[in-house]
């Protein structure tokens, strides 16, 4: 193997996406049109791939990488949210050369920009995570100190009534109550300026309501989702309309890949009934499953509702985690890690 770094902007989109879909660590976040997207404007895209010159420049690794410059103290940070995609079934000798190339390139960025830290995380719904080797954090051999997080995942085999019956009693009751009332309609909006305006209003109200105004995401980020990713079918957008007013009051954006869906974003107007939000989530989950089954004729769909904190006793994160668990989800694993810098003392606390 003769590994060579190729920056994202210099890579071939079709070859990139083919690699993502063919290898078990690939997910929607690694696709060429998604990989550069970061919700903070301060993060610069530095994503890249490594090709093997001995294999006619075939891609062997794709890395989603962003760099943040914090102006207040002139410091830099690297992040690989959603991690990397490694070519399946590389020989051990090839893998060693690839890891050396990766670390040399990352170390060069760290040295040039005086980077303070580099974190990485991986999706839970890849084929790799359902394989026998999933207990091994793939970051460990690339210079990261490994750790794990947990998320809520729902296997969705079976018909709609069966799946609803698996939800907790309170969630079943609230979903059925909203459905029988007939006041609310869940639909996929037209991808135009009006629906984008409606979503962004909900986005702003959600962040103000939860006292996270400083975390508001720029509108052009969602423009890209609307007019690029949604039109290409990478994401699906759901609105819930109050039929009494004709106004959308709640929304969800899912990102889709193979036989999976991931709850990516949600936003709502102030004052909506919590039952409406459960109803919207439920309808979105079912629609994602039905869309997949219609395309493939299969019934092996899996949906991820997001971060899990079952150990918490109280607080906002516990309430959100309990909400995501209420759809009869189970715990799934997300591998994460922190890059070991050259000047790291590398002292471990062992007992």
């Amino acid at each position: 193997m003769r590994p060579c770094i190729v920056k994202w902007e210099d890579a071939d989109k079709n070859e990139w996406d083919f690699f993502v879909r063919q290898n078990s660590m690939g997910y929607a976040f690694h696709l060429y049109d998604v990989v550069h997207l970061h919700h903070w404007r301060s993060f610069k895209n530095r994503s890249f791939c490594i090709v093997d010159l001995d294999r006619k420049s075939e891609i062997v690794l794709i890395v989603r990488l962003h760099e943040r410059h914090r102006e207040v103290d002139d410091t830099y940070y690297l992040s690989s949210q959603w991690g990397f995609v490694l070519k399946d079934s590389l020989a051990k000798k090839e893998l060693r050369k690839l890891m050396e190339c990766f670390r040399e390139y990352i170390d060069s960025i760290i040295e040039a920009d005086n980077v303070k830290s580099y974190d990485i995380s991986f999706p839970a719904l890849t084929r790799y995570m359902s394989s026998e080797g999933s207990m091994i954090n793939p970051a460990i051999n690339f210079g990261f100190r490994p750790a794990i997080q947990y998320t809520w995942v729902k296997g969705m085999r079976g018909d709609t009534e069966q799946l609803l019956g698996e939800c907790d009693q309170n969630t079943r009751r609230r979903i059925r109550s909203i459905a029988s009332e007939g006041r609310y309609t869940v639909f996929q909006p037209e991808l135009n300026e009006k629906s984008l305006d409606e979503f962004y209003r909900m986005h702003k109200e959600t962040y103000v309501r939860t006292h996270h105004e400083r975390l508001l995401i720029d509108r052009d980020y969602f423009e890209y989702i609307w007019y690029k990713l949604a039109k290409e079918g990478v994401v699906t957008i759901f609105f819930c309309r109050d039929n009494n007013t004709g106004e959308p009051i709640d929304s969800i954006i899912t990102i889709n890949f193979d036989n999976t869906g991931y709850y990516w974003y949600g936003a709502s107007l102030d004052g909506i009934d919590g039952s409406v939000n459960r109803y919207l989530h439920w309808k979105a989950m079912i629609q994602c499953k039905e869309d997949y089954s219609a395309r493939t004729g299969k019934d092996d769909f899996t949906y991820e509702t997001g971060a899990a904190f079952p150990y918490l006793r109280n607080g906002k994160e516990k309430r959100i985690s309990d909400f995501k668990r209420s759809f009869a989800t189970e715990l799934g694993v997300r591998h994460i890690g922190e890059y070991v810098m050259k000047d790291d003392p590398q002292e471990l606390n062992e007992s």
Side-chain angles (χ1 to χ4, degrees):
M1 172 179 281
R2 287 189 295 147
C4 177
I5 302 291
V6 177
K7 295 181 180 179
W8 171 82
E9 59 268 28
D10 297 324
D12 180 89
K13 169 180 160 46
N14 292 330
E15 292 179 4
W16 183 292
D17 286 349
F18 181 79
F19 179 84
V20 170
R21 296 186 182 282
Q22 289 296 306
N23 290 280
S24 62
M25 290 178 63
Y27 201 69
F29 291 111
H30 304 120
L31 295 171
Y32 190 87
D33 287 335
V34 185
V35 76
H36 75 102
L37 191 63
H38 199 287
H39 54 265
W40 300 131
R41 191 182 291 275
S42 58
F43 277 78
K44 175 185 176 183
N45 177 32
R46 300 202 64 168
S47 302
F48 63 95
C49 65
I50 299 180
V51 302
D52 182 3
L53 298 180
D54 285 343
R55 301 187 189 201
K56 299 180 180 180
S57 295
E58 176 189 350
I59 297 174
V60 289
L61 181 73
I62 279 175
V63 182
R64 181 181 163 107
L65 179 68
H66 292 83
E67 182 178 59
R68 178 191 180 194
H69 178 217
R70 196 168 70 175
E71 294 183 358
V72 65
D73 56 0
D74 195 29
T75 53
Y76 288 83
Y77 301 86
L78 294 177
S79 176
S80 283
Q81 184 186 32
W82 309 116
F84 55 72
V85 184
L86 176 67
K87 181 177 174 61
D88 292 337
S89 303
L90 284 174
K92 290 183 179 179
K93 184 177 180 180
E94 292 177 319
L95 187 57
R96 283 196 297 270
K97 289 184 178 181
L98 181 58
M99 292 185 297
E100 289 171 4
C101 178
F102 172 87
R103 296 185 74 161
E104 286 174 3
Y105 183 62
I106 293 298
D107 287 345
S108 71
I109 296 175
I110 290 172
E111 184 175 354
D113 294 350
N114 192 26
V115 171
K116 299 302 181 184
S117 67
Y118 176 21
D119 62 83
I120 196 167
S121 60
F122 294 86
L125 296 184
T126 60
R127 284 183 284 120
Y128 173 81
M129 290 305 296
S130 61
S131 70
E132 291 183 0
S134 63
M135 288 187 65
I136 305 300
N137 187 327
I140 191 169
N141 291 321
F142 284 78
F144 294 85
R145 184 176 288 114
I148 60 171
Q149 291 178 336
Y150 291 95
T151 185
W152 292 116
V153 175
K154 169 70 173 173
M156 299 191 67
R157 290 184 182 273
D159 61 36
T160 301
E161 194 58 31
Q162 175 186 338
L163 293 168
L164 181 58
E166 294 170 357
C167 297
D168 72 30
Q169 183 177 6
N170 181 48
T171 294
R172 292 197 309 270
R173 177 183 58 80
R174 296 172 81 171
I175 290 172
R176 286 172 172 152
S177 174
I178 291 293
S180 63
E181 186 178 348
R183 176 177 170 180
Y184 302 97
T185 300
V186 174
F187 66 102
Q188 296 178 34
E190 292 186 23
L191 301 173
N192 54 28
E193 205 72 9
K194 179 184 177 185
S195 64
L196 178 58
D197 287 343
E198 290 169 333
F199 173 82
Y200 201 65
R201 176 191 169 194
M202 289 186 268
H203 173 69
K204 288 192 290 186
E205 285 202 19
T206 299
Y207 277 59
V208 170
R209 179 174 67 247
T210 56
H211 308 292
H212 288 98
E213 296 96 325
R214 66 183 183 84
L215 301 179
L216 271 171
I217 301 171
D218 292 334
R219 190 178 188 278
D220 58 1
Y221 175 85
F222 292 109
E223 285 181 2
Y224 188 85
I225 290 176
W226 239 249
Y227 300 127
K228 182 68 173 176
L229 302 185
K231 289 196 173 182
E232 292 181 353
V234 178
V235 306
T236 306
I237 300 162
F238 297 94
F239 279 4
C240 182
R241 179 177 60 233
D242 183 338
N243 296 327
N244 287 352
T245 65
E247 181 181 33
I249 59 171
D250 203 355
S251 59
I252 281 179
I253 299 175
T254 67
I255 193 161
N256 316 300
F257 191 77
D258 196 12
N259 64 332
T260 70
Y262 172 79
Y263 166 52
W264 197 11
Y265 289 107
S268 62
L269 297 184
D270 293 343
I272 70 165
D273 187 331
S275 296
V276 174
N277 194 243
R278 288 178 193 259
Y279 180 67
L280 171 60
H281 273 259
W282 173 249
K283 295 288 284 186
M285 292 167 65
I286 292 298
Q287 190 61 56
C288 287
K289 167 192 161 65
E290 290 179 350
D291 289 347
Y292 165 75
S293 295
R295 289 194 309 271
T296 66
K298 298 179 181 179
D299 189 39
D300 58 343
F301 190 76
T302 303
Y303 189 88
E304 182 180 353
T305 58
F309 306 100
Y311 50 86
L312 294 179
R313 296 188 177 188
N314 51 57
K316 178 183 175 181
E317 286 186 331
K318 171 179 169 51
R319 292 192 298 273
I320 294 174
S321 180
D322 288 349
F323 171 84
K324 294 175 178 179
R325 179 171 57 182
S326 72
F327 297 96
T329 52
E330 297 181 350
L331 287 173
V333 171
R334 290 187 60 211
H335 290 301
I336 63 173
E338 183 179 0
Y339 193 71
V340 178
M341 316 287 268
K342 284 185 176 180
D343 59 354
D344 192 300
Q346 300 181 34
E347 295 177 359
L348 301 178
N349 294 322
E350 297 183 356
S351 58

